[in-house]
Amino acid sequence: MFHRPNVTLSGHQELNLKPEELQRSPCVLGFIPVIYYSALLCVGVPVNILTAVALSRLASRTKKALYYYLLAVTASDILSQLFIIFVGFLLETAVFHRDVPTLLLHSVSAAEFAANHASIWSAVPLTVDRYVALCHPLLHRQISYPERTRKIIAVVLVLSLASGVPFFWWSDMWRNSHPPTSLDTVLIWTHVTIIYFLPCSIFLVLNSLIIHTLRVRQRQQCCQEEQGPKSAPPRRLGKTTAMLLAITSVFSVLWAPRCVVVIYHLYVSSVHRDWRVHLAYDLSNMLAMLNTAVNFFLYCFVSKPFREAVRDILLLSGGPLYPRRALRQQQAHTNASISSLYSGNNKRSQRDTTPISSRRARKPS
C-alpha cells in the first residue's frame, strides 16, 4: 500500500511505453519517509505491546467489554505496523526496492488491507456497545458479557481477514503509468468505503445519538432540581465516552487525507506523473499510519485505571486494580474495627472498675 517510486523499468517494458509514460514523478521527501516510519515502528510497537498487556490485566480483572474491544484494536494496530510499515514499506520498498516475487508482493498487500480493516472495524462494536450502554442500559445488562464480546471480536477479525482477499489484485500506484482499469476503480472505491466512509458514518451517527441522549438527561435532571428537592448531580460526559469520541475523532482526521488523495489519483492525476500528487500521497500515508501509535497516549490521558495498570507493569508489580482506593477503604475499615474494639474494651474496663457500693447505690430501694 505505502511505497516509494523511482524504480527503474526493464528494457522490455520501456519498449512498450510511450515517452510521456516513462517520466516518473520525483520523490520530493527523499529519505524522510524511511526515517519517519523507522521511528514510528520503534516507538509504536513497544507502546502497543505495553497497551495490550495493560488492557489484558484490566479485562481479566473487571470483565468489562470496553477493555476487550480496546485490546482487539491494539492487536490490530500491531499487525498493521508489522505488515504495512515493517514488511510493506521498510523491507519491500526501502531495502529490496520492490524487487520481490509478484506473488509475495500481492500476498503482503492482501495482509496489509486485512490488518487495516481489522484495526478500524474493531472500534465499531465498541461504539455500538457504548451506545447501548448509555441509551439502553437495561438491554446492555442483558446482552453485554465477556463471552459474547469475544465472539463479536472473533467475527470482526474473520470478516476483516476475508475482506483483504480481493485486494490481492490491488494495483501498484507507484509503478503503473496506465490509466486505472475498471478493476482498479472497483477496488479503490471498495477500499475507501470499507476503511473510511462506512465506519465513519457509523461513528458519526452513534456518537451523535450518545451526545444527544446525555444532553437530554442533563436537561431533565436540571428541571427536576428546579421543580423539586435536590436530586443526583447531572450526568456528564463519562471518561469512557470521552475515550470513544477521542479514538473515533483521531481516526477520522488522520485517515481523511489518504482517502481524498486516492480518489484524486483515480479520476484526476496519477502519482506516477505528478510530483504534487506523489507528495500528497506520501504525507497522507504518514498521517494514516500515525493512527496506529497514538491510542496509548489517549488512554493514558483519559483513563486512570489504565494509567495505574501501566504503572504496575513498569514497576513489575501486580497490585489491585484500584490500589490507592482499596488501601484507603482497608485503612478505614481497620480504623473502624480498632475504634469499636477500643470503645468496647473501654466500656468493659469502666464497668469492671466501678465500685460495688456505687452499683448498689444505683439500685432502687
Side-chain angles (χ1 to χ4, degrees):
M1 291 175 60
F2 312 99
H3 309 294
R4 289 177 58 198
N6 302 335
V7 182
T8 58
L9 295 175
S10 62
H12 297 286
Q13 289 177 328
E14 290 180 357
L15 294 176
N16 298 327
L17 293 179
K18 298 178 181 180
E20 63 269 18
E21 292 178 340
L22 296 176
Q23 298 177 0
R24 292 182 174 274
S25 59
C27 187
V28 179
L29 295 178
F31 289 97
I32 294 179
V34 179
I35 299 174
Y36 172 81
Y37 285 120
S38 300
L40 187 63
L41 189 68
C42 294
V43 174
V45 172
V47 162
N48 280 328
I49 292 176
L50 178 61
T51 303
V53 176
L55 292 175
S56 300
R57 286 193 176 188
L58 293 173
S60 61
R61 294 171 182 175
T62 63
K63 305 299 180 182
K64 290 183 178 181
L66 168 68
Y67 298 119
Y68 288 101
Y69 289 128
L70 295 180
L71 183 60
V73 173
T74 304
S76 302
D77 287 340
I78 294 175
L79 293 179
S80 298
Q81 290 176 337
L82 293 179
F83 281 113
I84 298 175
I85 300 178
F86 180 68
V87 178
F89 186 85
L90 295 179
L91 286 184
E92 288 186 354
T93 305
V95 177
F96 297 108
H97 300 286
R98 309 285 289 165
D99 189 15
V100 295
T102 305
L103 179 61
L104 177 61
L105 187 67
H106 289 285
S107 300
V108 172
S109 178
E112 291 173 354
F113 280 96
N116 248 339
H117 296 170
S119 177
I120 303 307
W121 281 90
S122 296
V124 173
L126 169 63
T127 308
V128 175
D129 179 79
R130 287 297 88 200
Y131 165 74
V132 177
L134 293 174
C135 301
H136 307 280
L138 297 179
L139 178 62
H140 183 263
R141 295 177 183 177
Q142 298 176 1
I143 66 175
S144 181
Y145 48 89
E147 290 78 9
R148 173 168 291 182
T149 302
R150 288 191 288 265
K151 291 180 180 178
I152 293 174
I153 293 174
V155 171
V156 170
L157 295 179
V158 171
L159 293 178
S160 300
L161 179 63
S163 66
V165 174
F167 295 94
F168 178 86
W169 294 273
W170 178 263
S171 179
D172 190 353
M173 294 183 180
W174 297 119
R175 302 184 69 176
N176 292 337
S177 58
H178 58 76
T181 63
S182 57
L183 178 60
D184 295 334
T185 303
V186 171
L187 288 178
I188 287 175
W189 275 106
T190 303
H191 168 62
V192 296
T193 301
I194 293 177
I195 205 72
Y196 192 79
F197 291 133
L198 187 56
C200 283
S201 299
I202 297 175
F203 295 153
L204 179 62
V205 172
L206 295 183
N207 289 338
S208 301
L209 292 175
I210 290 174
I211 295 175
H212 174 71
T213 301
L214 293 177
R215 288 181 177 178
V216 169
R217 290 180 180 176
Q218 186 174 1
R219 292 174 184 173
Q220 291 177 353
Q221 292 182 357
C222 291
C223 294
Q224 291 177 359
E225 287 183 355
E226 293 177 357
Q227 296 177 358
K230 292 185 178 180
S231 59
R235 188 172 185 177
R236 300 179 179 178
L237 187 66
K239 292 184 177 180
T240 303
T241 307
M243 183 188 300
L244 172 64
L245 295 178
I247 294 173
T248 54
S249 300
V250 169
F251 162 75
S252 302
V253 171
L254 294 181
W255 272 90
R258 170 177 163 78
C259 295
V260 173
V261 173
V262 169
I263 297 175
Y264 186 86
H265 162 83
L266 177 63
Y267 290 105
V268 181
S269 179
S270 172
V271 176
H272 180 82
R273 299 180 184 178
D274 193 342
W275 68 269
R276 290 166 296 187
V277 181
H278 185 175
L279 176 61
Y281 198 57
D282 275 339
L283 294 177
S284 64
N285 289 335
M286 293 166 68
L287 284 177
M289 286 296 96
L290 182 62
N291 185 66
T292 62
V294 298
N295 288 337
F296 170 81
F297 304 99
L298 295 178
Y299 302 159
C300 289
F301 180 74
V302 176
S303 177
K304 181 179 179 181
F306 180 80
R307 293 194 300 268
E308 293 178 349
V310 171
R311 182 194 60 193
D312 293 338
I313 295 172
L314 296 178
L315 297 178
L316 300 178
S317 62
L321 182 60
Y322 303 99
R324 297 178 181 178
R325 187 184 306 176
L327 182 60
R328 288 196 298 266
Q329 292 178 353
Q330 184 178 2
Q331 289 178 352
H333 179 72
T334 304
N335 293 336
S337 301
I338 294 176
S339 177
S340 60
L341 180 62
Y342 175 77
S343 61
N345 292 335
N346 190 20
K347 292 180 180 179
R348 198 178 298 114
S349 61
Q350 290 179 357
R351 185 171 59 250
D352 293 340
T353 55
T354 302
I356 299 178
S357 59
S358 61
R359 295 183 189 175
R360 292 177 179 176
R362 293 196 194 102
K363 295 183 180 180
S365 55

